[in-house]
C-alpha cells in the first residue's frame, strides 16, 4: 500500500482486503492517514479508542461507496 506523492489510495475491494490483513496498530495508522488524505479532521476521530474488530467487520461487509461514506461520517465531514 505504498503511496506515491500526490496519490491517494483508492478504497476498492482489493485495498480494503489489504487493510484487513494489518494488525490493529497498523490499521489505526493507515486509517488515520487515509482520513487525513480524504479531508477528514483526524483530531475529531477517536482512533486510539476505536473498536478495531467492529471496524474490521464494517470493512468486510462494505463496498467502495460505503467506505467513502464511512470516512465522511467518522470525521463529520465530506470526502474530497
Amino acid at each position: 500500500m505504498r503511496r506515491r506523492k500526490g496519490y491517494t489510495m483508492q478504497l476498492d475491494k482489493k485495498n480494503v482486503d489489504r487493510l484487513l490483513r494489518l494488525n490493529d496498530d497498523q490499521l489505526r495508522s493507515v486509517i488515520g492517514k487515509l482520513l487525513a488524505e480524504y479531508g477528514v479532521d483526524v483530531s475529531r476521530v477517536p482512533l486510539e479508542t476505536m473498536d478495531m474488530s467492529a471496524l474490521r467487520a464494517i470493512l468486510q461487509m462494505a463496498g467502495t461507496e460505503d467506505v467513502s461514506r464511512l470516512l465522511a461520517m467518522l470525521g463529520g465531514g465530506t470526502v474530497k
Side-chain angles (χ1 to χ4, degrees), residues 44 50 71 73 75:
R44 297 184 61 193
M50 188 175 287
L71 289 170
M73 290 187 311

Side-chain angles (χ1 to χ4, degrees), residues 2-18:
R2 296 181 194 273
R3 289 171 298 188
R4 291 171 278 158
K5 189 173 184 174
Y7 173 77
T8 300
M9 181 176 80
Q10 296 299 308
L11 292 172
D12 56 18
K13 182 67 176 156
K14 178 180 169 184
N15 284 326
V16 169
D17 289 342
R18 287 180 180 170

